[in-house]
Amino acid sequence: MARLQRRLAEFAAARNWQPYHTPKNLVAALSVEASELVEIFQWLTPEESARVMTDPDTAHRVTDEVADVLAYLLQLCEVLGIDPLAALDAKIDRNERRFPVQESDGPLQ
Amino acid sequence: MARLQRRLAEFAAARNWQPYHTPKNLVAALSVEASELVEIFQWLTPEESARVMTDPDTAHRVTDEVADVLAYLLQLCEVLGIDPLAALDAKIDRNERRFPVQESDGPLQ
Amino acid sequence: MARLQRRLAEFAAARNWQPYHTPKNLVAALSVEASELVEIFQWLTPEESARVMTDPDTAHRVTDEVADVLAYLLQLCEVLGIDPLAALDAKIDRNERRFPVQESDGPLQ
Amino acid sequence: MARLQRRLAEFAAARNWQPYHTPKNLVAALSVEASELVEIFQWLTPEESARVMTDPDTAHRVTDEVADVLAYLLQLCEVLGIDPLAALDAKIDRNERRFPVQESDGPLQ
């Protein structure tokens, strides 16, 4: 992951894209890529959505959009100095206290 | 990252949330979390957005939303059998061919 | 609709919010409000989503988010000089040519 | 607006698209279209975003996406039985009480 963050930083630097990579622009780009994932699934039934990787073309599109989301998330973390894995570890800790096992009966809102 | 994916899977299993975690629902949740990041930045100037981590409360909110985006991205990859790091590596390879250094003068569209 | 656009403009002017209402910020706010609608529906089955107005609290939340989406859409149209009803009329004309009735077998992508 | 809602309903009915138009799917489609608007603006400075209608191609794209957002918003209102203009009118009333003029110094969060 650190290696990928370095590749992304070098990629942007070589093309002089850093001036565009304000945190505000990167979160917009992240949300646009997340929506491109939603677009693939928007008209599917839950059952169809579970079979989405059986079609090679759709599997490729989904994998490609996952990569785009991760790319912008890592670039955002780079410019803001956030460690995404540590952030998620801490968040799961908090959620384990917030949603104790016995009381839960539905998904995280 | 594999360890976090396992923690997330155990967290969801212990609360019987897996039936809700269809790919369609997870991409919706991912896009909602990405938008909660956008919400923090929506009225800021580019300059203000670059200083967002200097305020401890805002820094905490941003870090928390980054964790949420990563959590849903990893859970989506888990249910679809996608390796997010390999996907991003392959995507950077493709982008290096698609956007050769000398011709580029603007950001990745 | 013209009256609502005028109310929104006066509301923003009275609070000196116009400097924040760049087209870039308004589209971000619009997408955030659209995601707040998605959030209400993200874990529902298709069938549950069809019954969402039978619960008064949820009905109120949905109606409120619909209003927010429309508010930002109208404010965006105001600052950009777009007539949203004319834009939609023209779009339906184009879609009728693009998706002739006899050939269609699925939703607008 | 009522006429446009009727055109949209007839358009969908003629193509047998109503089964796809669950509220859950329509809010997803609405958020995808809102993100397509964001995509046009994501790398622009605030100043560039204010001049977006001076380029005919971009002006056409923006107008087209505005139409798509309105189309899904109206179709959502149709299936849920929401009057969008009444919803916005009521929302502005509430916001006038919530954000009294003299105390305000920033945008609606």
Side-chain angles (χ1 to χ4, degrees):
Chain A
M1 194 136 140
R3 193 182 64 79
L4 284 167
Q5 250 173 328
R6 210 162 43 242
R7 278 196 82 185
L8 289 165
E10 287 166 5
F11 185 92
R15 286 154 187 80
N16 294 315
W17 291 357
Q18 304 109 317
Y20 298 94
H21 286 185
T22 63
K24 183 179 173 108
N25 288 0
L26 288 170
V27 297
L30 173 68
S31 79
V32 166
E33 297 301 336
S35 281
E36 292 183 3
L37 265 175
V38 174
E39 193 180 6
I40 300 173
F41 290 90
Q42 64 188 347
W43 305 119
L44 303 186
T45 63
E47 296 72 27
E48 288 167 342
S49 93
R51 292 191 302 266
V52 92
M53 301 303 279
T54 59
D55 175 66
D57 282 352
T58 313
H60 180 80
R61 277 177 71 199
V62 171
T63 305
D64 201 58
E65 298 299 349
V66 162
D68 285 336
V69 170
L70 184 57
Y72 284 119
L73 187 66
L74 292 184
Q75 290 178 93
L76 177 70
C77 286
E78 174 91 4
V79 301
L80 293 180
I82 292 172
D83 177 338
L85 300 182
L88 178 51
D89 217 31
K91 179 72 187 237
I92 301 174
D93 288 344
R94 281 199 300 282
N95 276 346
E96 283 177 344
R97 289 190 297 273
R98 194 175 150 210
F99 301 96
V101 167
Q102 68 281 8
E103 295 179 38
S104 294
D105 57 350
L108 184 58
Q109 292 303 331
Chain B
M1 195 134 141
R3 192 181 66 78
L4 285 167
Q5 249 173 328
R6 212 163 42 243
R7 278 196 82 185
L8 289 164
E10 288 166 5
F11 186 91
R15 287 154 188 79
N16 294 316
W17 291 358
Q18 304 110 316
Y20 298 94
H21 286 187
T22 63
K24 184 180 172 105
N25 288 359
L26 288 170
V27 297
L30 173 67
S31 79
V32 166
E33 297 301 336
S35 281
E36 292 183 3
L37 265 175
V38 174
E39 193 179 8
I40 300 173
F41 291 90
Q42 65 188 347
W43 304 120
L44 303 186
T45 63
E47 297 72 28
E48 289 167 342
S49 93
R51 291 192 301 267
V52 91
M53 301 302 280
T54 59
D55 175 66
D57 282 353
T58 313
H60 180 80
R61 278 178 71 202
V62 171
T63 305
D64 201 57
E65 298 299 349
V66 162
D68 284 338
V69 170
L70 184 57
Y72 285 119
L73 187 66
L74 292 183
Q75 289 178 93
L76 177 70
C77 287
E78 175 92 4
V79 301
L80 294 180
I82 291 172
D83 177 339
L85 300 182
L88 178 51
D89 217 30
K91 178 72 188 238
I92 301 175
D93 288 344
R94 281 200 300 282
N95 276 345
E96 283 178 344
R97 288 190 298 273
R98 194 175 150 210
F99 301 95
V101 167
Q102 69 280 10
E103 295 179 36
S104 294
D105 57 353
L108 184 58
Q109 291 304 329
Chain C
M1 196 134 139
R3 192 182 65 79
L4 286 167
Q5 250 174 328
R6 211 163 43 242
R7 278 196 82 185
L8 288 165
E10 288 165 4
F11 186 91
R15 286 154 188 80
N16 294 314
W17 291 357
Q18 306 108 317
Y20 298 94
H21 286 187
T22 63
K24 183 179 173 109
N25 288 359
L26 288 170
V27 297
L30 172 68
S31 79
V32 166
E33 297 302 336
S35 281
E36 292 183 4
L37 264 175
V38 173
E39 193 179 7
I40 300 173
F41 291 90
Q42 64 187 348
W43 305 119
L44 303 186
T45 63
E47 296 72 28
E48 288 167 344
S49 93
R51 292 191 301 266
V52 90
M53 302 302 281
T54 58
D55 175 68
D57 282 352
T58 313
H60 180 80
R61 278 178 70 202
V62 171
T63 305
D64 201 55
E65 298 299 349
V66 162
D68 285 336
V69 170
L70 184 58
Y72 284 120
L73 188 67
L74 292 183
Q75 289 177 94
L76 177 69
C77 288
E78 174 90 5
V79 300
L80 294 180
I82 292 172
D83 177 338
L85 300 182
L88 179 51
D89 216 30
K91 178 73 187 236
I92 301 174
D93 288 344
R94 281 199 300 283
N95 276 345
E96 282 178 343
R97 288 190 297 272
R98 194 175 149 209
F99 301 95
V101 167
Q102 69 280 10
E103 295 179 37
S104 294
D105 57 353
L108 184 58
Q109 292 301 330
Chain D
M1 194 137 140
R3 193 183 63 81
L4 285 168
Q5 250 174 327
R6 210 161 45 241
R7 279 197 80 185
L8 289 165
E10 287 166 4
F11 186 90
R15 286 153 188 80
N16 294 315
W17 290 357
Q18 305 108 317
Y20 298 94
H21 285 187
T22 63
K24 183 179 173 108
N25 289 359
L26 288 170
V27 296
L30 173 67
S31 79
V32 166
E33 297 302 336
S35 280
E36 292 183 3
L37 264 176
V38 173
E39 194 180 6
I40 300 173
F41 290 90
Q42 65 187 345
W43 305 119
L44 303 186
T45 63
E47 296 73 27
E48 288 167 342
S49 93
R51 292 192 301 268
V52 91
M53 301 303 280
T54 59
D55 175 67
D57 282 353
T58 313
H60 180 80
R61 278 178 70 202
V62 171
T63 306
D64 201 56
E65 298 299 348
V66 162
D68 285 337
V69 170
L70 184 57
Y72 285 120
L73 188 66
L74 292 184
Q75 289 177 95
L76 177 70
C77 287
E78 174 90 5
V79 300
L80 294 180
I82 292 172
D83 177 339
L85 299 182
L88 179 52
D89 216 30
K91 178 72 188 240
I92 302 175
D93 288 344
R94 282 199 300 282
N95 276 345
E96 283 177 343
R97 289 190 297 273
R98 194 175 150 210
F99 300 96
V101 167
Q102 68 282 9
E103 295 178 37
S104 294
D105 57 352
L108 183 57
Q109 291 302 330

